[in-house]
Amino acid sequence: MEISRFPYTLDSQLIYPGQKIMESRLLDWATKNTDPDAVPDLQVTERMRKLDPELVEMILGRDEVVVMRELVGKLDDNLDTSREALEHLEEILEKIDSAVTFGRAGMWDGIFKVLKKQDLNLDAALSLLGTASQNNPPVQTQLVDEYDVLQVFVDLFARLEASGLPRSAGKIKSKLVYAVSAVVKNQQDIFQKFIAMGGMACIVSLREDLDVCDRVEHLLSFLQSEYPEIKF
């Protein structure tokens, strides 16, 4: 993750308040940046207490949950700001634990609002959803059970079929197949539920679509090898 794209971190990784590394780095910074001759009786812990909060934030980074909430809050702004927030969130949710925390904090609501209201950012929202679900059973289960994500997928396929999406439909199709793949992989119950809803018929119908045929074939090949006893 590049620092320029994520100004809330230091050394390209998030550090959380409360971690031992925080105190250690604060101690190190305070020790190096205080003149012992000028304040000979000042203890390191006292120096820590006197540090400006904004300076501490700059040195150590911010609580990941706080950052995620702020980014979700930007999803109601203009389309460009919303897309940028989605991209930053996807970077965070690449980490399995972070994606689980995101769901436990109730922040998926913001992503599903984008899926329903911001057609021009559908591809970014679907990409985020797929990345967060990848090899992450708690997230896969939560999205299916609490957010009915399989029905969301089926509805999006119907809109694509009816040409009710913008000119970037090719990119949306690709990210939709990616998101479906991430949610159903290694989850037989979820996969069978998706079949029963007609979801796999939607996937198969895209085999001849030049925008997504390679991704579709890859997914079908995986599913057929993973679940040879299931017909779809």
Side-chain angles (χ1 to χ4, degrees):
M1 185 185 302
E2 298 178 359
I3 297 176
S4 61
R5 297 194 64 198
F6 204 87
Y8 309 111
T9 62
L10 184 69
D11 299 335
S12 73
Q13 69 180 60
L14 286 162
I15 305 296
Y16 318 112
Q19 289 181 313
K20 291 183 179 180
I21 191 171
M22 253 190 168
E23 183 175 352
S24 173
R25 293 179 70 180
L26 270 174
L27 285 168
D28 181 62
W29 185 92
T31 302
K32 291 179 180 178
N33 288 275
T34 304
D35 184 354
D37 295 326
V39 281
D41 59 339
L42 190 62
Q43 297 298 314
V44 171
T45 53
E46 182 64 22
R47 289 201 288 268
M48 287 175 60
R49 281 194 288 271
K50 291 182 180 295
L51 285 174
D52 185 281
E54 291 186 4
L55 184 58
V56 174
E57 191 173 280
M58 180 185 72
I59 298 169
L60 299 175
R62 302 176 64 191
D63 184 342
E64 187 176 60
V65 174
V66 173
V67 173
M68 291 192 292
R69 286 194 187 283
E70 290 187 356
L71 289 171
V72 170
K74 294 181 179 180
L75 299 179
D76 290 328
D77 294 344
N78 65 64
L79 291 174
D80 289 340
T81 301
S82 181
R83 175 171 286 272
E84 184 177 346
L86 287 166
E87 290 172 352
H88 286 327
L89 278 169
E90 183 171 0
E91 291 176 351
I92 297 174
L93 301 186
E94 288 177 352
K95 294 178 290 184
I96 289 176
D97 289 344
S98 298
V100 172
T101 298
F102 187 80
R104 287 176 177 169
M107 287 186 270
W108 279 112
D109 289 336
I111 306 303
F112 280 84
K113 285 181 181 178
V114 174
L115 290 171
K116 294 176 181 178
K117 296 181 178 180
Q118 294 184 21
D119 285 356
L120 293 177
N121 281 332
L122 274 174
D123 59 314
L126 288 166
S127 183
L128 179 152
L129 194 152
T131 296
S133 304
Q134 199 81 28
N135 301 313
N136 200 333
V139 171
Q140 292 167 292
T141 300
Q142 183 183 26
L143 290 174
V144 172
D145 292 347
E146 297 181 27
Y147 292 92
D148 201 13
V149 71
L150 299 182
Q151 187 61 54
V152 172
F153 291 155
V154 171
D155 291 345
L156 283 174
F157 278 118
R159 291 178 63 195
L160 284 163
E161 184 67 23
S163 300
L165 290 173
R167 286 177 295 176
S168 57
K171 188 180 294 186
I172 294 171
K173 290 176 190 175
S174 179
K175 295 302 182 182
L176 178 53
V177 174
Y178 167 62
V180 169
S181 173
V183 170
V184 306
K185 275 186 176 180
N186 304 314
Q187 295 289 332
Q188 184 169 337
D189 289 345
I190 292 176
F191 178 46
Q192 289 181 310
K193 185 175 181 179
F194 190 57
I195 294 174
M197 296 172 66
M200 283 309 300
C202 296
I203 294 285
V204 172
S205 71
L206 294 176
R207 288 181 110 160
E208 304 302 322
D209 191 314
L210 294 179
D211 290 320
V212 291
C213 57
D214 289 344
R215 188 181 287 277
V216 167
E217 289 299 335
H218 177 78
L219 173 59
L220 292 177
S221 176
F222 172 83
L223 292 173
Q224 286 169 344
S225 63
E226 186 76 6
Y227 309 113
E229 73 283 3
I230 299 177
K231 304 300 180 183
F232 55 88

